[in-house]
Amino acid sequence: MSDVPPATTAPADREATPTPPGPAGPPVTGGDPALRAAYRLCRRRTKNEDPAEYALIQLVPAALRPALHALWAAANALDDLGDDRTAPAAERAARVGAWITALHRELPTGSSPDPVRRALVDTANRWHLDLSELRDAMAQVQDDTAGRHFTDWAEWRTWGRDNLLPWFGLVRTVFDRAGVPVALRLDTREAYEEFLDGVRLTDILTDLAADLAQGDLLLPAEALDQHPGSAADLAQRRWSPAVAALVTHLTGLARRWVTQESLTRGMHPGPATVLHTMAALLRAQLDAIDAAGAALLRTAPRPALRTRARILAPARTRAALAWTLTPLTVPPPQRPGAHRPAAPARPASTTGIFRLPPPHPSGEQPPEIPPGDLPAHVAVIMDGNGRWAQQRGLARHEGHRAGATAVREVVHGALDIGLRHLTLYTFSTENWHRDPEEVDAILDLLRRELAENPFRDLDVRLRWHGRAGRLPPDLVDVLHLRERTTRARTGLTLTMCIDYGGRDELTRTAAALARRAREDGLEPDLIAEDDFARHLPLPDMPDVDLLWRTGGEQRVSNFLPWHTAYAELHFTPGLWPDTDRRDLWQAVTAYTHRQRHLGATPAAAPADEPSAAHCSTAPAAGAGG
């Protein structure tokens, strides 16, 4: 199947024949004939293989189109390698892996013998795109060669979003670099992801005949089971009442998903025009699918040319006006020795490993703790940044800066010992009461850390826990980006609690449970702990085994009250900026000496075993001690 390529999901494109007026700028592809040829090839492939995509890209200023053509062509080239059924699955996976490895090798050089990768490399270097964000999306294409089966819509959505969202993130970065940020309002994020679900479903229905010919059925069993017999009929490529009912149901679902009027409210008119046009083209495609009937199982339906023209003609006029009034910043072609972003880290499915964390500067090795003795989840209250700065005559924000270095160290230490979950109390709901200058400094530091992405090449999945309403939209945007691009990683899950409060979490959970009781008739007297847990904002977060607080204070400060109900407590006097990975190792080692009973009758402890009270106040070794 041909996945909907990245630019299709971009909310800023523009079609015009002739080219609409727009800001003048330097030659888009510079003076390199081979590079110009590479971009022309990407443009030609886009136009020939996906005319609707090409029409949408034409709705953006001419200076931005080569970058979008390059991104589309790269995604499609990978897809074609994975879908080439003339080769066995293992060979297709190897070809995809070789393509990704070549890109990894070529990005720092600024060139490639492959024209599509050459255009992509130039686009990445010129627009300062971080292609490491594509790590999991590219690895997914390689994994897809073995076939896909989805039990329910949740699995299906995760698969589709993991593929589309990273590519779209790069398209949004191009517009951001050009001076037209495509920021999504916090209340429209779910609508946006649902819109992309509609894009994906429309694509699958369009390519149903080609997929079935290859033995693929990329629909969740949950949907197929609602129409008994449809799965068997589709496998035989047989049009039946069950298949007809299934297609009608799915086109209705996709039509609802792509109709998200709130998505463009308050958005720049250029991107808004493109999103409206894209939604209209998708609805026209769904109409063609509905009208195809049995022919849907033989060939891909397409809307009539007059239908597309009726949609695109007014869009060209609106987009031309919007972009004429918009000044753009277009970077010049790259010169030898100019900035080059880091090469994309190799996917785990290509190399088998992520980069290991750097060793501790002292050379000290982590303790050897059997996996069965490790806590599954360590939560940390990182206290003492401000006091650390004041003791040195520095502004408080300097303490937070030093604390960011300690975070990196502790994450490295967690990876060293194989910890599965680490949750950090980064910014509480009460922290808004601090001096506004300090709050701004903390938020700016978070932006810089997330932009730098220090755990890019480590097997770290980043999650965010907290409220979005008071945080700056650009910070929320990058938090979601890091979540999306690391979702498939299986090493350490690092949860950053930002604008988080424990009582707020419980209040929101109670509200969600009340809505469920009202809408679904849930009997209040039958509500159990499991029901409450399923309605938590992060229902899959495991209980905390060890809660560690630095800075000498001995309280839990409204942190994870549900998850820490049975946690072991560990308080240390050292201030957070003085903390390094050895303090984490000491805290975990102390945890392994505890006897955890969880309400059961304790066994007799050996006389020389340390008590829980002693361990809970023992100072950590290392720099924080």
Side-chain angles (χ1 to χ4, degrees):
M1 179 192 130
S2 174
D3 287 342
V4 176
T8 306
T9 66
D13 305 46
R14 152 175 170 208
E15 147 122 8
T17 338
T19 301
V28 174
T29 57
D32 182 346
L35 182 59
R36 288 202 302 271
Y39 275 113
R40 281 198 301 270
L41 174 66
C42 293
R43 176 180 178 273
R44 187 165 60 249
R45 286 190 178 179
T46 309
K47 184 175 183 179
N48 293 340
E49 298 177 26
D50 195 338
E53 177 68 26
Y54 180 79
L56 287 170
I57 293 178
Q58 289 296 101
L59 291 175
V60 307
L64 276 59
R65 294 175 199 164
L68 302 190
H69 290 143
L71 288 167
W72 185 92
N76 210 45
L78 266 180
D79 224 32
D80 288 345
L81 288 173
D83 285 344
D84 180 11
R85 295 310 175 98
T86 63
E91 184 177 337
R92 285 183 277 125
R95 291 176 182 176
V96 172
W99 198 98
I100 298 170
T101 300
L103 178 63
H104 171 87
R105 183 176 59 249
E106 294 159 355
L107 188 61
T109 73
S111 187
S112 171
D114 178 89
V116 172
R117 289 201 303 269
R118 186 183 186 100
L120 179 62
V121 164
D122 182 76
T123 292
N125 286 328
R126 186 177 183 199
W127 293 93
H128 294 190
L129 305 183
D130 184 357
L131 296 191
S132 68
E133 294 173 0
L134 297 177
R135 173 207 292 268
D136 296 325
M138 288 181 170
Q140 185 192 83
V141 175
Q142 189 174 21
D143 295 341
D144 284 350
T145 58
R148 285 286 182 183
H149 174 77
F150 308 106
T151 302
D152 53 28
W153 282 112
E155 282 185 14
W156 182 89
R157 287 188 183 95
T158 297
W159 167 74
R161 294 177 183 184
D162 284 352
N163 180 267
L164 289 180
L165 286 166
W167 289 99
F168 170 68
L170 293 182
V171 174
R172 291 177 63 190
T173 300
V174 169
F175 282 90
D176 186 58
R177 301 278 193 268
V180 187
V182 187
L184 298 170
R185 298 192 327 277
L186 302 178
D187 61 332
T188 62
R189 186 167 302 281
E190 182 55 39
Y192 162 67
E193 295 196 352
E194 196 169 81
F195 178 86
L196 293 189
D197 294 340
V199 172
R200 170 66 63 170
L201 185 53
T202 303
D203 179 56
I204 288 173
L205 293 172
T206 299
D207 292 338
L208 191 59
D211 289 345
L212 291 174
Q214 298 179 158
D216 291 333
L217 183 55
L218 299 177
L219 296 170
E222 179 182 348
L224 297 168
D225 291 345
Q226 290 181 307
H227 303 276
S230 61
D233 290 335
L234 285 171
Q236 297 297 319
R237 304 183 70 182
R238 181 172 57 236
W239 187 259
S240 66
V243 171
L246 172 68
V247 170
T248 299
H249 169 70
L250 294 178
T251 55
L253 197 59
R255 194 173 282 106
R256 176 161 58 85
W257 285 346
V258 301
T259 305
Q260 302 283 351
E261 296 299 330
S262 65
L263 201 54
T264 57
R265 197 173 300 137
M267 188 179 285
H268 182 284
T273 295
V274 176
L275 271 181
H276 283 305
T277 306
M278 183 178 175
L281 289 172
L282 288 165
R283 287 191 292 269
Q285 180 63 38
L286 291 166
D287 291 342
I289 292 168
D290 275 332
L296 181 66
L297 304 185
R298 298 191 300 272
T299 186
R302 299 294 177 193
L305 289 177
R306 63 179 177 276
T307 301
R308 290 184 61 231
R310 187 173 64 251
I311 294 170
L312 290 171
R316 293 166 182 164
T317 301
R318 290 195 301 270
L321 177 60
W323 293 116
T324 299
L325 301 175
T326 304
L328 298 179
T329 302
V330 180
Q334 286 286 299
R335 300 179 303 279
H339 164 84
R340 301 208 186 281
R346 300 171 188 257
S349 56
T350 299
T351 65
I353 58 170
F354 287 83
R355 184 173 63 81
L356 296 175
H360 189 269
S362 70
E364 187 169 338
Q365 296 297 306
E368 294 184 4
I369 301 174
D373 293 341
L374 277 173
H377 185 184
V378 175
V380 186
I381 301 174
M382 306 177 291
D383 195 14
N385 290 334
R387 282 177 284 156
W388 182 91
Q390 290 173 334
Q391 288 175 4
R392 289 158 177 78
L394 303 172
R396 288 179 62 87
H397 67 81
E398 294 296 337
H400 299 298
R401 189 189 307 276
T405 301
V407 167
R408 299 187 187 193
E409 255 294 293
V410 168
V411 169
H412 292 160
L415 288 166
D416 286 335
I417 60 175
L419 193 65
R420 303 296 295 171
H421 290 269
L422 176 66
T423 299
L424 304 180
Y425 206 1
T426 308
F427 188 85
S428 75
T429 51
E430 289 77 20
N431 287 155
W432 292 106
H433 300 304
R434 296 188 178 187
D435 183 89
E437 185 176 343
E438 182 180 356
V439 170
D440 288 344
I442 294 172
L443 298 180
D444 285 342
L445 177 62
L446 286 171
R447 285 190 189 91
R448 289 196 298 273
E449 285 292 298
L450 289 164
E452 186 174 345
N453 198 10
F455 311 126
R456 173 189 297 117
D457 299 330
L458 304 176
D459 194 6
V460 176
R461 178 191 182 195
L462 182 66
R463 299 186 81 186
W464 163 45
H465 192 13
R467 274 191 175 272
R470 292 185 290 189
L471 293 173
D474 63 322
L475 177 57
V476 173
D477 205 41
V478 73
L479 282 166
H480 281 296
L481 174 64
R482 295 290 172 251
E483 283 189 314
R484 292 193 304 265
T485 55
T486 63
R487 183 159 38 191
R489 301 186 185 188
T490 58
L492 172 69
T493 295
L494 173 64
T495 303
M496 309 291 288
C497 291
I498 303 174
D499 199 9
Y500 170 86
R503 288 184 173 179
D504 175 75
E505 178 184 28
L506 297 181
T507 302
R508 286 194 286 157
T509 303
L513 196 56
R515 284 192 296 271
R516 163 86 187 284
R518 183 182 61 195
E519 295 168 2
D520 298 343
L522 180 65
E523 177 58 46
D525 291 336
L526 298 180
I527 293 175
E529 286 187 13
D530 288 347
D531 296 305
F532 193 89
R534 281 194 294 271
H535 289 79
L536 288 163
L538 292 183
D540 59 340
M541 175 184 277
D543 283 349
V544 173
D545 296 307
L546 174 63
L547 175 62
W548 169 30
R549 179 171 187 148
T550 64
E553 303 290 346
Q554 298 191 24
R555 56 180 180 271
V556 296
S557 296
N558 199 24
F559 186 40
L560 299 176
W562 180 269
H563 301 87
T564 58
Y566 293 101
E568 298 293 325
L569 305 181
H570 185 80
F571 302 107
T572 56
L575 304 179
W576 179 253
D578 290 327
T579 302
D580 71 10
R581 72 186 78 182
R582 294 172 297 178
D583 297 280
L584 173 68
W585 298 343
Q586 173 68 20
V588 171
T589 300
Y591 168 87
T592 65
H593 296 152
R594 306 286 180 92
Q595 285 193 0
R596 306 196 74 203
H597 310 300
L598 303 181
T601 302
D608 59 348
E609 184 167 323
S611 68
H614 172 75
C615 289
S616 67
T617 57

PDB file of all heavy atoms in Angstrom, residues 603-617:
ATOM      1  N   ALA A 603       7.620 -11.264  57.321  1.00  0.00           N
ATOM      2  CA  ALA A 603       8.457 -12.381  57.772  1.00  0.00           C
ATOM      3  C   ALA A 603       9.495 -11.844  58.741  1.00  0.00           C
ATOM      4  O   ALA A 603       9.818 -10.662  58.759  1.00  0.00           O
ATOM      5  CB  ALA A 603       9.132 -13.038  56.575  1.00  0.00           C
ATOM      6  N   ALA A 604      10.034 -12.709  59.563  1.00  0.00           N
ATOM      7  CA  ALA A 604      11.063 -12.282  60.518  1.00  0.00           C
ATOM      8  C   ALA A 604      12.302 -11.849  59.765  1.00  0.00           C
ATOM      9  O   ALA A 604      12.819 -12.581  58.926  1.00  0.00           O
ATOM     10  CB  ALA A 604      11.394 -13.431  61.458  1.00  0.00           C
ATOM     11  N   ALA A 605      12.790 -10.651  60.070  1.00  0.00           N
ATOM     12  CA  ALA A 605      13.958 -10.122  59.383  1.00  0.00           C
ATOM     13  C   ALA A 605      15.211 -10.506  60.128  1.00  0.00           C
ATOM     14  O   ALA A 605      15.221 -10.551  61.366  1.00  0.00           O
ATOM     15  CB  ALA A 605      13.866  -8.598  59.281  1.00  0.00           C
ATOM     16  N   PRO A 606      16.300 -10.779  59.415  1.00  0.00           N
ATOM     17  CA  PRO A 606      17.574 -11.037  60.080  1.00  0.00           C
ATOM     18  C   PRO A 606      17.960  -9.840  60.944  1.00  0.00           C
ATOM     19  O   PRO A 606      17.628  -8.697  60.641  1.00  0.00           O
ATOM     20  CB  PRO A 606      18.553 -11.227  58.919  1.00  0.00           C
ATOM     21  CG  PRO A 606      17.688 -11.593  57.747  1.00  0.00           C
ATOM     22  CD  PRO A 606      16.403 -10.888  57.955  1.00  0.00           C
ATOM     23  N   ALA A 607      18.662 -10.113  62.033  1.00  0.00           N
ATOM     24  CA  ALA A 607      18.997  -9.058  62.993  1.00  0.00           C
ATOM     25  C   ALA A 607      19.834  -7.959  62.380  1.00  0.00           C
ATOM     26  O   ALA A 607      19.775  -6.815  62.797  1.00  0.00           O
ATOM     27  CB  ALA A 607      19.728  -9.672  64.194  1.00  0.00           C
ATOM     28  N   ASP A 608      20.651  -8.296  61.361  1.00  0.00           N
ATOM     29  CA  ASP A 608      21.552  -7.286  60.811  1.00  0.00           C
ATOM     30  C   ASP A 608      20.971  -6.592  59.589  1.00  0.00           C
ATOM     31  O   ASP A 608      21.654  -5.812  58.945  1.00  0.00           O
ATOM     32  CB  ASP A 608      22.899  -7.912  60.446  1.00  0.00           C
ATOM     33  CG  ASP A 608      22.755  -9.034  59.420  1.00  0.00           C
ATOM     34  OD1 ASP A 608      21.606  -9.465  59.177  1.00  0.00           O
ATOM     35  OD2 ASP A 608      23.802  -9.472  58.888  1.00  0.00           O
ATOM     36  N   GLU A 609      19.698  -6.860  59.260  1.00  0.00           N
ATOM     37  CA  GLU A 609      19.122  -6.212  58.079  1.00  0.00           C
ATOM     38  C   GLU A 609      18.721  -4.785  58.422  1.00  0.00           C
ATOM     39  O   GLU A 609      18.091  -4.544  59.456  1.00  0.00           O
ATOM     40  CB  GLU A 609      17.902  -6.991  57.583  1.00  0.00           C
ATOM     41  CG  GLU A 609      17.333  -6.391  56.306  1.00  0.00           C
ATOM     42  CD  GLU A 609      16.334  -7.335  55.655  1.00  0.00           C
ATOM     43  OE1 GLU A 609      16.564  -8.561  55.703  1.00  0.00           O
ATOM     44  OE2 GLU A 609      15.344  -6.838  55.111  1.00  0.00           O
ATOM     45  N   PRO A 610      19.043  -3.797  57.577  1.00  0.00           N
ATOM     46  CA  PRO A 610      18.694  -2.411  57.880  1.00  0.00           C
ATOM     47  C   PRO A 610      17.186  -2.205  57.866  1.00  0.00           C
ATOM     48  O   PRO A 610      16.483  -2.829  57.097  1.00  0.00           O
ATOM     49  CB  PRO A 610      19.377  -1.620  56.755  1.00  0.00           C
ATOM     50  CG  PRO A 610      19.535  -2.590  55.645  1.00  0.00           C
ATOM     51  CD  PRO A 610      19.759  -3.923  56.298  1.00  0.00           C
ATOM     52  N   SER A 611      16.735  -1.334  58.722  1.00  0.00           N
ATOM     53  CA  SER A 611      15.305  -1.063  58.797  1.00  0.00           C
ATOM     54  C   SER A 611      14.905  -0.073  57.729  1.00  0.00           C
ATOM     55  O   SER A 611      15.717   0.679  57.204  1.00  0.00           O
ATOM     56  CB  SER A 611      14.949  -0.474  60.166  1.00  0.00           C
ATOM     57  OG  SER A 611      15.508   0.819  60.290  1.00  0.00           O
ATOM     58  N   ALA A 612      13.600  -0.022  57.428  1.00  0.00           N
ATOM     59  CA  ALA A 612      13.097   0.922  56.441  1.00  0.00           C
ATOM     60  C   ALA A 612      13.323   2.350  56.901  1.00  0.00           C
ATOM     61  O   ALA A 612      13.642   3.227  56.111  1.00  0.00           O
ATOM     62  CB  ALA A 612      11.597   0.668  56.198  1.00  0.00           C
ATOM     63  N   ALA A 613      13.168   2.589  58.213  1.00  0.00           N
ATOM     64  CA  ALA A 613      13.352   3.956  58.706  1.00  0.00           C
ATOM     65  C   ALA A 613      14.775   4.421  58.472  1.00  0.00           C
ATOM     66  O   ALA A 613      15.016   5.567  58.110  1.00  0.00           O
ATOM     67  CB  ALA A 613      13.004   4.019  60.189  1.00  0.00           C
ATOM     68  N   HIS A 614      15.733   3.526  58.659  1.00  0.00           N
ATOM     69  CA  HIS A 614      17.131   3.913  58.446  1.00  0.00           C
ATOM     70  C   HIS A 614      17.364   4.208  56.968  1.00  0.00           C
ATOM     71  O   HIS A 614      17.978   5.217  56.618  1.00  0.00           O
ATOM     72  CB  HIS A 614      18.049   2.790  58.912  1.00  0.00           C
ATOM     73  CG  HIS A 614      19.492   3.032  58.558  1.00  0.00           C
ATOM     74  ND1 HIS A 614      20.276   3.938  59.240  1.00  0.00           N
ATOM     75  CD2 HIS A 614      20.276   2.509  57.584  1.00  0.00           C
ATOM     76  CE1 HIS A 614      21.501   3.963  58.698  1.00  0.00           C
ATOM     77  NE2 HIS A 614      21.513   3.090  57.700  1.00  0.00           N
ATOM     78  N   CYS A 615      16.842   3.361  56.085  1.00  0.00           N
ATOM     79  CA  CYS A 615      17.086   3.554  54.650  1.00  0.00           C
ATOM     80  C   CYS A 615      16.423   4.814  54.138  1.00  0.00           C
ATOM     81  O   CYS A 615      16.939   5.478  53.254  1.00  0.00           O
ATOM     82  CB  CYS A 615      16.567   2.350  53.858  1.00  0.00           C
ATOM     83  SG  CYS A 615      17.554   0.854  54.097  1.00  0.00           S
ATOM     84  N   SER A 616      15.265   5.168  54.702  1.00  0.00           N
ATOM     85  CA  SER A 616      14.525   6.285  54.147  1.00  0.00           C
ATOM     86  C   SER A 616      15.218   7.612  54.373  1.00  0.00           C
ATOM     87  O   SER A 616      14.917   8.593  53.714  1.00  0.00           O
ATOM     88  CB  SER A 616      13.111   6.336  54.744  1.00  0.00           C
ATOM     89  OG  SER A 616      13.188   6.653  56.114  1.00  0.00           O
ATOM     90  N   THR A 617      16.122   7.674  55.320  1.00  0.00           N
ATOM     91  CA  THR A 617      16.803   8.940  55.576  1.00  0.00           C
ATOM     92  C   THR A 617      18.291   8.866  55.306  1.00  0.00           C
ATOM     93  O   THR A 617      19.009   9.827  55.558  1.00  0.00           O
ATOM     94  CB  THR A 617      16.592   9.373  57.038  1.00  0.00           C
ATOM     95  OG1 THR A 617      17.062   8.339  57.906  1.00  0.00           O
ATOM     96  CG2 THR A 617      15.114   9.617  57.316  1.00  0.00           C
TER      97      THR A 617
END
